[in-house]
């Protein structure tokens, strides 16, 4: 086709491209440029000063004034003092530059909100069994298997499932999945912005994570469109990273806040149930049906110095461990088709053992950052005794209760929580908030650690200075930790826990 044909091939697209050379400049873009100028004003002012100093020194060197100063210093016995003075000045300058270039900006958690679904979506264990039977998708063996899993799962009778899954027959579609996502995301974001008295246009960074539902446009674009955020908001959409993606999203926001000064970041974590419900009969792929439930959380972060006085928590550490180089660990949580072509998430029988290895690797890195020196010395002595002197003694497990006052364990299932309790030798009261969250909301994937924290705040309270350890596992296989320090007393009763919380069996 010739040039003429090409010119007429896409008339609809071409006729709607505006001529940016016509018309005036919108005021809001001028304001954004002015904001950037003010943010970097100090750096911009220092540049001409530094350039002027350098040019003056170069001119003094060229005209011989520096040599004359040196000769005068040597004749008046001030040469040594001048060398010391110049050396000290140079050292101070290097130290100042190093500090400015290497310092990390503090990252504060201003507020967060955990989504609570309407009562119409509540799913008891009996109703779950009845819907599974009425759907006519499962054979008798699969129904019996799901019943056994539900009895051992640790879930109560007040978890939530999306409307499309609860219909008979199930009405699974892209539209229904979008409706679930909008319901969770919009409500969570609106609440956290309202609590902070912020407008959507005041958000500088947006990070959204959802593992199994990733439409086009993305979920982050969905939020930007609904709340009419700025066109220069820095947005990211994380996908396929499993239940530990909430910590990964926090880590990404933290890294971005090191680059963008005086900024606010909004992190939104969720999982979509509608399009990922498994309607087959393979046992390893039926387990997620019994555990995963509707949920989501929105977190507001800031690196603004003046937000120090309003912040709830300060982020101290993020430690990420990825075991994906090993094939068995990589495939222990794997989305695939069964023999009938039905898509689901396969959970390997070795999952708990792999989670244990990932936990061990993660705390090996985390330990030196948070444990008191006494615990580190005992651990090191035990390691030397076993590895160097070949002494047959048990490995020493550091007492993490000396490093943290609160533990937010991912609610991957009763077995996951109890395994961490056993591995870390935690007291039953340390893991009870995680069990209560699993009982009330089920496995809400990447947002579950925030439901646990909201439970602790609502039922026990968090005192100023308390340290919180959020730990989550995800496909790949990953184990990720986030450590927070409370900036004030936090005993807010969250919407997710306004009714009297029902306690799971210890």
């Amino acid at each position: 086709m010739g040039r003429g044909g090409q010119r007429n091939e896409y008339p609809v697209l071409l006729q709607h491209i505006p001529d940016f050379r016509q018309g005036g400049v919108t005021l809001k873009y001028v304001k954004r440029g002015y904001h950037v100028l003010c943010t970097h004003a100090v750096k911009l002012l220092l540049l001409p000063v530094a350039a002027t100093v350098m040019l003056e020194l170069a001119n003094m060197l060229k005209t011989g004034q520096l040599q004359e100063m040196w000769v005068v210093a040597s004749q008046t016995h001030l040469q040594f003092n001048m060398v010391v003075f110049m050396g000290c000045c140079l050292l101070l300058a290097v130290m100042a530059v190093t500090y400015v270039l290497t310092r990390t900006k503090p990252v504060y958690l201003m507020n967060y909100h955990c989504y609570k679904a309407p009562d119409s979506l509540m799913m008891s264990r009996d109703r779950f069994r009845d819907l599974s039977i009425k759907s006519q998708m499962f054979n008798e063996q699969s129904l019996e298997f799901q019943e056994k899993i539900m009895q051992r799962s640790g879930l109560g009778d007040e978890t939530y499932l999306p409307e499309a899954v609860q219909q008979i027959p199930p009405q699974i579609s892209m539209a229904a999945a979008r409706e679930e996502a909008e319901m969770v995301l919009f409500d969570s974001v609106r609440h956290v912005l309202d609590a902070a008295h912020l407008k959507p246009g005041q958000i500088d960074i947006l990070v959204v994570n959802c593992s199994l539902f990733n439409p086009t446009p993305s979920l982050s674009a969905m939020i930007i469109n609904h709340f009419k955020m700025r066109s220069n908001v820095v947005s990211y959409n994380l996908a396929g990273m499993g239940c530990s993606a909430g910590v990964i999203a926090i880590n990404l926001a933290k890294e971005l806040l090191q680059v963008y000064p005086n900024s606010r970041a909004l992190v939104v974590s969720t999982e979509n149930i509608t399009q990922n419900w498994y309607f087959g009969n393979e046992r390893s792929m039926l387990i997620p049906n019994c555990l995963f439930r509707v949920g989501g959380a929105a977190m507001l972060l800031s690196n603004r110095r003046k937000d120090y006085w309003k912040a709830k928590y300060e982020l101290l550490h993020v430690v990420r461990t990825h075991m994906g180089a090993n094939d068995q660990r990589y495939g222990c949580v794997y989305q695939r088709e069964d023999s009938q072509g039905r898509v689901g998430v396969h959970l390997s029988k070795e999952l708990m053992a792999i989670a244990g290895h990932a936990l061990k690797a993660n705390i090996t890195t985390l330990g030196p950052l948070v444990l008191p020196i006494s615990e580190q010395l005992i651990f090191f002595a035990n390691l030397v005794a076993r590895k160097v002197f070949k002494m047959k003694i048990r490995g020493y497990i550091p007492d993490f209760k000396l490093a943290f006052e609160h533990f937010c364990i991912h609610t991957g299932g009763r077995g996951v929580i109890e395994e961490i309790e056993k591995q870390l030798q935690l007291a039953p009261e340390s893991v009870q908030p995680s069990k209560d969250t699993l009982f009330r909301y089920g496995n809400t994937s990447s947002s579950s650690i925030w439901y646990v924290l909201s439970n602790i705040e609502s039922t026990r309270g968090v005192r100023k200075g308390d340290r919180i350890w959020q730990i989550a596992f995800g496909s790949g296989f990953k184990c990720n930790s986030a450590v927070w320090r409370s900036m004030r007393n936090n005993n807010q009763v969250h919407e997710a826990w306004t009714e009297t919380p029902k306690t799971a069996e210890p």
Side-chain angles (χ1 to χ4, degrees):
M1 184 179 291
R3 281 185 173 271
Q6 290 181 350
R7 192 176 294 118
N8 297 326
E9 191 174 356
Y10 306 107
V12 176
L13 292 177
L14 291 176
Q15 68 184 10
H16 289 289
I17 298 177
D19 187 348
F20 64 88
R21 297 168 296 182
Q22 303 296 325
V25 179
T26 307
L27 180 60
K28 64 179 180 180
Y29 297 110
V30 177
K31 291 174 64 177
R32 290 174 196 170
Y34 178 72
H35 173 72
V36 172
L37 180 64
C38 292
T39 302
H40 301 280
V42 175
K43 296 178 183 178
L44 294 174
L45 288 173
L46 286 176
L47 283 176
V49 174
T52 302
V53 172
M54 293 299 295
L55 289 174
E56 183 62 26
L57 288 175
N59 183 60
M60 292 175 67
L61 180 63
K62 182 178 179 180
T63 59
Q65 294 182 40
L66 286 180
Q67 288 87 340
E68 291 177 6
M69 291 175 62
W70 182 262
V71 171
V72 172
S74 61
Q75 291 176 349
T76 56
H77 307 289
L78 295 176
Q79 186 174 3
F80 176 76
N81 291 337
M82 187 174 181
V83 171
V84 173
F85 175 74
M86 294 181 67
C88 290
C89 289
L90 179 63
L91 179 61
L92 288 173
V94 171
M95 292 175 61
V97 171
T98 302
Y99 171 75
V100 170
L101 294 178
T102 60
R103 66 173 179 171
T104 58
K105 298 180 180 67
V107 175
Y108 305 118
L109 175 66
M110 305 307 299
N111 216 319
Y112 67 97
H113 177 80
C114 297
Y115 175 73
K116 183 180 180 181
D119 291 344
S120 60
L121 300 183
M122 197 169 285
M123 177 60 57
S124 67
R125 285 172 289 190
D126 289 342
R127 179 166 168 74
F128 177 86
R129 181 183 62 250
D130 293 342
L131 286 175
S132 297
I133 295 173
K134 292 178 181 177
S135 69
Q136 299 182 350
M137 298 286 185
F138 308 103
N139 58 34
E140 191 64 31
Q141 292 77 15
S142 295
L143 292 172
E144 292 178 1
F145 177 74
Q146 289 186 91
E147 181 67 19
K148 291 180 181 178
I149 295 297
M150 288 297 297
Q151 291 174 359
R152 304 171 185 173
S153 65
L155 274 69
D157 288 325
E158 296 181 345
T159 60
Y160 302 96
L161 281 177
E163 182 179 357
V165 173
Q166 297 196 34
Q167 293 180 356
I168 302 296
Q171 302 295 316
I172 308 302
S173 66
M174 175 68 78
R178 284 184 186 274
E179 183 178 345
E180 178 193 346
E182 292 173 352
M183 174 182 67
V184 177
L185 297 177
F186 296 167
D187 183 85
S188 301
V189 171
R190 183 175 63 256
H191 274 86
V192 79
L193 290 179
D194 289 346
H197 305 290
L198 293 177
K199 297 179 180 179
Q202 294 176 280
I203 298 299
D204 305 290
I205 299 167
L206 174 65
V207 180
V208 181
N209 72 271
C210 181
S211 188
L212 294 175
F213 179 60
N214 301 284
T216 299
S218 65
L219 298 180
S220 60
M222 181 188 293
I223 292 175
I224 292 171
N225 173 261
H226 180 79
F227 290 96
K228 309 306 177 187
M229 291 183 173
R230 304 195 320 251
S231 61
N232 64 339
V233 63
V234 180
S235 64
Y236 290 86
N237 200 94
L238 305 181
M241 305 194 80
C243 298
S244 67
V247 177
I248 297 174
I250 291 292
N251 185 55
L252 175 57
K254 171 194 171 186
E255 297 298 329
L256 290 169
L257 287 171
Q258 301 307 308
V259 179
Y260 295 93
N262 201 38
S263 298
R264 299 184 182 94
L266 179 63
V267 178
V268 189
S269 298
T270 188
E271 189 53 84
N272 192 278
I273 306 297
T274 299
Q275 277 205 322
N276 298 289
W277 198 257
Y278 177 62
F279 292 102
N281 291 287
E282 191 168 319
R283 290 193 171 188
S284 66
M285 301 169 77
L286 283 169
I287 298 175
N289 285 7
C290 303
L291 297 177
F292 283 89
R293 295 296 184 263
V294 170
M299 291 67 67
L300 179 64
L301 306 178
S302 172
N303 63 5
R304 294 151 51 97
R305 294 285 178 179
K306 60 184 178 182
D307 284 338
Y308 172 89
W309 306 104
K310 299 184 292 183
K312 299 186 70 170
Y313 300 95
E314 180 182 2
L315 180 61
L316 300 181
H317 307 287
V318 175
V319 175
R320 296 170 54 182
T321 304
H322 205 306
M323 315 292 286
N326 179 281
D327 291 343
Q328 185 184 44
R329 295 168 182 176
Y330 168 75
C332 68
V333 180
Y334 201 86
Q335 187 180 29
R336 61 174 176 83
E337 296 173 328
D338 64 10
S339 58
Q340 303 298 317
R342 299 187 179 96
V343 177
V345 177
H346 158 79
L347 301 182
S348 167
K349 293 181 179 179
E350 293 77 27
L351 178 59
M352 294 306 300
I354 292 171
H357 287 296
L359 174 64
K360 181 179 179 181
N362 189 266
I363 64 176
T364 301
T365 304
L366 180 66
L369 299 175
V370 298
L371 287 170
I373 190 65
S374 58
E375 284 295 298
Q376 296 189 45
L377 289 175
I378 297 173
F379 177 79
F380 180 74
N382 177 272
L383 183 66
V384 171
R386 289 186 295 111
K387 299 298 183 181
V388 178
F389 297 103
K390 306 299 181 183
M391 296 176 64
K392 295 183 179 180
I393 57 175
R394 294 183 62 182
Y396 179 72
I397 300 176
D399 187 0
F400 279 91
K401 295 188 294 295
L402 298 175
F404 305 106
E405 284 73 33
H406 306 283
F407 299 83
C408 300
I409 303 169
H410 164 55
T411 59
R414 189 182 183 93
V416 172
I417 299 172
E418 291 179 346
E419 183 65 20
I420 294 179
E421 178 184 7
K422 176 183 176 183
Q423 291 281 346
L424 299 181
Q425 298 180 355
L426 300 178
E429 57 267 20
S430 296
V431 301
Q432 193 62 42
S434 297
K435 290 184 177 180
D436 291 347
T437 302
L438 176 67
F439 184 80
R440 178 62 179 86
Y441 286 97
N443 182 352
T444 57
S445 190
S446 56
S447 64
S448 67
I449 52 177
W450 296 102
Y451 282 88
V452 179
L453 181 57
S454 66
N455 174 276
I456 295 173
E457 286 189 4
S458 301
T459 59
R460 303 180 179 185
V462 178
R463 293 181 297 178
K464 182 178 180 180
D466 282 1
R467 294 153 298 178
I468 297 94
W469 182 13
Q470 292 179 321
I471 183 166
F473 300 93
S475 58
F477 188 82
K478 299 180 287 291
C479 177
N480 298 323
S481 295
V483 178
W484 303 85
R485 178 173 62 86
S486 180
M487 305 288 287
R488 53 186 169 90
N489 293 333
N490 292 297
N491 52 9
Q492 170 192 354
V493 178
H494 290 257
E495 181 184 346
W497 303 99
T498 48
E499 74 273 13
T500 303
K502 295 182 179 180
T503 302
E505 295 179 2

